[in-house]
Amino acid sequence: MTIILGLESSCDETAAALVTADGQILAHRLATQEDAHRPYGGVVPEIAARAHVEALAPLVEAALTDAKMTLADVDVIAATAGPGLIGGVMVGLVTGKALAHAAGKPLVAVNHLEGHALSPRLADQNLQFPYLLLLVSGGHCQLLRVEGVGQYRRLATTIDDAAGEAFDKTAKLLGLGFPGGPAVEKAAAKGNPRAVPLPRPLVGTDEPHFSFAGLKSAVMRAAQSGQYTVEDIAASFQQAVIDCLLDRTRRALAASEGVTALVVAGGVAANQSVRGALTTLAQDHGLPFVAPPLWLCTDNAAMIAWAGAERYAAGMTDDLTIPARPRWPLDPTAEKARGAGVKA
């Protein structure tokens, strides 16, 4: 059985995992940087890169120890090669290259977004291509038709902020702390989702894409008005995001004949209210709803190892000259979205 060592360091989580080609997670180790970034209310790239340098090698050793293996037992090295904070991406990719070279193992350079896109297949071995994926994270908000390994057709993206980015900025505006997504979700559970009149950008329009910058600005004005509680603003914001996600996903489903499932992945997919709304949407369209367990939604190395396994099985490996990339679209042929620039 092929064993893949996965390395993840694209943002503020450092992780190493060992996964088999049939989806067994033999070991997973993760180091968070939340305490280091909390005083700044967001991720500081230089701090993140230095923390990856310190944490990654011990995590690899710990994962191998947990699995009672050595590097010689590993068949493939998979490392995130982008997109992400370039300093962190370089730490993981250079480590992966060094291990592959030293041990004489093949290297698979993994697109972090592909890690998220394929992670539902690690969680549900029965999930078949093609499926409609809502990828919602701190840096990305996209709808993709996943047709196979390395085969993605982008149907929509954000023209400004990503959904997770909007959660983080809302948390900062409301003084809820870092990381923002869980903080907003916790506060929203105590609030009234209809208390604050907030916009639903692009809902009901022919525009296929997402937009959250205007919603973030409306949250700021609501907070400055002093008319609403923090909990009510958080709940109203979360409901507005859900309404936007549902409307855009519903539109994409109408243009996606033959998909086997509605799938969600990325850090925002850990939000229980988002999951509940998408479950209902899938049921309304007669489709199964597939979401990885919560820990597989946030950044982790198991999804990178699994994407490496899928790519390796398809004959996709990389040489040691492959570069780290701060931007790396899953669908490079997709037309640029209005206002998105290179971010799309």
Side-chain angles (χ1 to χ4, degrees), residues 91-174:
V91 172
L93 182 58
V94 168
T95 301
K97 289 180 178 181
L99 291 172
H101 178 69
K105 309 293 184 180
L107 173 73
V108 178
V110 175
N111 185 314
H112 179 82
L113 302 182
E114 185 167 42
H116 281 305
L118 296 177
S119 64
R121 282 170 53 85
L122 174 59
D124 183 352
Q125 299 286 309
N126 295 318
L127 178 61
Q128 299 296 315
F129 302 120
Y131 51 85
L132 180 67
L133 169 69
L134 173 62
L135 176 56
V136 273
S137 67
H140 301 273
C141 188
Q142 300 182 4
L143 282 159
L144 297 153
R145 183 182 172 97
V146 181
E147 298 177 339
V149 179
Q151 301 175 43
Y152 306 95
R153 185 159 64 87
R154 197 201 73 198
L155 305 178
T157 187
T158 177
I159 64 173
D160 41 58
D161 290 353
E165 186 179 358
F167 267 95
D168 287 340
K169 289 179 178 177
T170 292
K172 193 169 184 177
L173 285 168
L174 299 180

Side-chain angles (χ1 to χ4, degrees), residues 6 8 10 17 19 25 28 78 80 110-120 122 265-266 295-310:
E8 160 60 21
S10 64
V19 175
I25 301 173
H28 186 267
T80 299
V110 175
N111 185 314
H112 179 82
L113 302 182
E114 185 167 42
H116 281 305
L118 296 177
S119 64
L122 174 59
W295 76 273
L296 268 179
C297 290
T298 53
D299 291 352
N300 65 87
M303 71 177 189
I304 301 304
W306 176 250
E310 294 244 50

Side-chain angles (χ1 to χ4, degrees), residues 5 28 56 94 145 154 156 160 163 178 191 206 211 218 261 274 282 285 291 300 311 314-315 328 330 342:
L5 170 63
H28 186 267
L56 189 52
V94 168
R145 183 182 172 97
R154 197 201 73 198
D160 41 58
F178 177 84
D206 290 335
S211 172
V274 170
H285 285 77
N300 65 87
R311 291 185 70 82
W328 190 1
L330 279 179
V342 296

Side-chain angles (χ1 to χ4, degrees), residues 202-225:
L202 300 181
V203 166
T205 70
D206 290 335
E207 169 76 73
H209 301 303
F210 298 91
S211 172
F212 295 103
L215 174 58
K216 175 197 66 183
S217 298
V219 167
M220 180 177 65
R221 291 191 293 270
Q224 291 173 342
S225 74

